[in-house]
Amino acid sequence: MNTPTIEKHVDLTAFTTFGVRAVANSLIPCTTIEQLTSALSNVPDAKVLGGGSNILITHSSLDDVIHVRIKGIEVVAETTTHVHVRVGAGEAWHDFVTWCVKHDYGGLENLALIPGTVGAAPIQNIGAYGVEQQSCCVEVCVVDREHGTRHTIAGRECEFAYRSSVFKTSLAGKYVIASVTYQLSKPPHTVHHAYKDVQHALAGTEHPTIADVYHAVVAIRTHKLPDPSVVGNAGSFFKNPVVTIETYQRALESYPAMPCYPVDHLHVKVPAAWLIDNAGWKGYRKGAVGVHERQALVLINLGGAGGNDVLLLANQIADSVSEKYGIRLEMEVNVW
Ligand code: FAD
Ligand code: NAP
């Protein structure tokens, strides 16, 4: 059927990992690209929801919300060294990564256990433990909201950058992603284990496989990050600020322990978690909101918080970090 069934007055509390209460006047589940195109022809300005793991809703009600549920994992090309796999936007990202590792296809194992859908992965170019989805993304199949036309955008045209892409900048709001094609390696694989936690977990494993990296990442994340089904959160609330070397050196005079990682010959990346922690926010609680006690970048809903309560706390943290270090934090989470 090409026309999706519209659900009226749907409680969205369970549709976002923050678990804040909001109602969608119309929720439009789309399981095929035809349904997505049909839905967009009626409500081109609808909000688009995947797994809701990078969204903070600050309104008690929203008008039209399209829920992308397009499934399917299909090998569309194969050589002796690689496969190309086309994945429906509504597939769960972690299930897809698990599928890759089971088939011994390498490239995305460092991105295990990231919540959300495949369709959202290119939007902020998800990344973890030194790998971003851009290293495997071949093309993105989209539907134009305004014209209903389908387009294929090559990965190299997506302007992928740290937690960013063309879908967050010059093409923001123009397209809805229907599927993504990834190129994955066949053995022998190159594995990435430079991050301290992964290195530590794999110490003693002489030639780690992609399955070893996958299991290490799953174990680390399970231990370190709050489970959204237990405590509401959207992962890192802020991006790690990228600052000029001069700004960093100025801050270093007052805070000699401030860490950084190189970006290019003019810039460094400062871990936002360190800035927030050292400004005294880690473990902070006020009413139903707080800052996670193991990971200062994660803001939490302890139960019953509204989106505006979380936003207020986020602004207080950003202001305090700016005052203390002269570095402005930028939100990673999409505020609706
Ligand atoms: P949603 O939250 O539903 O949507 C996010 C944005 O994408 C919205 O603006 C939405 O409109 C848009 N969107 C969604 N689907 C589509 C589509 N098909 N077409 C067009 N636009 C769309 N992120 C990382 O990068 N690295 C991590 O390691 C990481 N760890 C996390 C850990 C936890 C515990 C949590 C809760 C979050 C974490 N995240 C991480 C953030 C989040 O999981 C990712 O950003 C994820 O890609 C969001 O997917 P989603 O389907 O939930 O998107
Ligand atoms: P971590 O390993 O404690 O490191 C703290 C920060 O320092 C990270 O944000 C990371 O930047 C940076 N870093 C550490 N080692 C690095 C290296 N060798 N080279 C360059 N940068 C380095 O971080 P964590 O909080 O436990 O998270 C682990 C990974 O999962 C990180 O990549 C993080 O981005 C990702 N993660 C993301 C989210 C999210 O919602 N976006 C949530 C949880 C975890 P990067 O962030 O740039 O990697």
Side-chain angles (χ1 to χ4, degrees), residues 53-54 114 124 127-130 162-163 194-197 220-221 224-225 234-238 240 261-262 269 271-273 295 297-298 332:
S53 62
N54 208 16
I114 297 183
Q124 75 156 13
Y129 302 104
Y162 167 64
R163 301 289 188 270
Y195 272 46
K196 184 174 50 57
D197 285 352
I220 296 163
R221 294 185 72 109
K224 204 165 177 180
L225 290 168
S236 306
F237 200 91
F238 300 100
N240 291 321
Y261 295 93
K269 177 180 69 179
Q295 175 39 291
L297 253 186
V298 178
E332 179 179 308

Side-chain angles (χ1 to χ4, degrees), residues 14-35:
F15 283 77
T16 70
T17 57
F18 251 125
V20 296
R21 209 184 117 68
V23 171
N25 292 334
S26 300
L27 184 78
I28 311 158
C30 295
T31 57
T32 63
I33 193 166
E34 290 75 20
Q35 287 190 348

Side-chain angles (χ1 to χ4, degrees), residues 189-211:
H189 302 293
T190 307
V191 297
H192 301 274
H193 49 87
Y195 272 46
K196 184 174 50 57
D197 285 352
V198 181
Q199 231 177 53
H200 189 249
L202 293 175
T205 309
E206 208 176 324
H207 299 293
T209 62
I210 59 167

Side-chain angles (χ1 to χ4, degrees), residues 1-4 28-42 70 143 148 150 178:
M1 198 170 65
N2 285 351
T3 318
I28 311 158
C30 295
T31 57
T32 63
I33 193 166
E34 290 75 20
Q35 287 190 348
L36 178 60
T37 310
S38 160
L40 287 170
S41 69
N42 291 320
I70 302 170
V143 178
R150 293 180 197 178

Side-chain angles (χ1 to χ4, degrees), residues 151-200:
H151 303 271
T152 300
I153 304 176
R156 63 182 175 282
E157 290 166 8
C158 292
E159 297 173 15
F160 290 126
Y162 167 64
R163 301 289 188 270
S164 180
S165 73
V166 76
F167 306 110
K168 288 196 83 167
T169 54
S170 56
L171 297 181
K174 184 166 174 57
Y175 297 126
V176 179
I177 294 175
S179 67
V180 189
T181 303
Y182 288 101
Q183 173 173 288
L184 303 155
S185 65
K186 290 183 174 179
H189 302 293
T190 307
V191 297
H192 301 274
H193 49 87
Y195 272 46
K196 184 174 50 57
D197 285 352
V198 181
Q199 231 177 53
H200 189 249

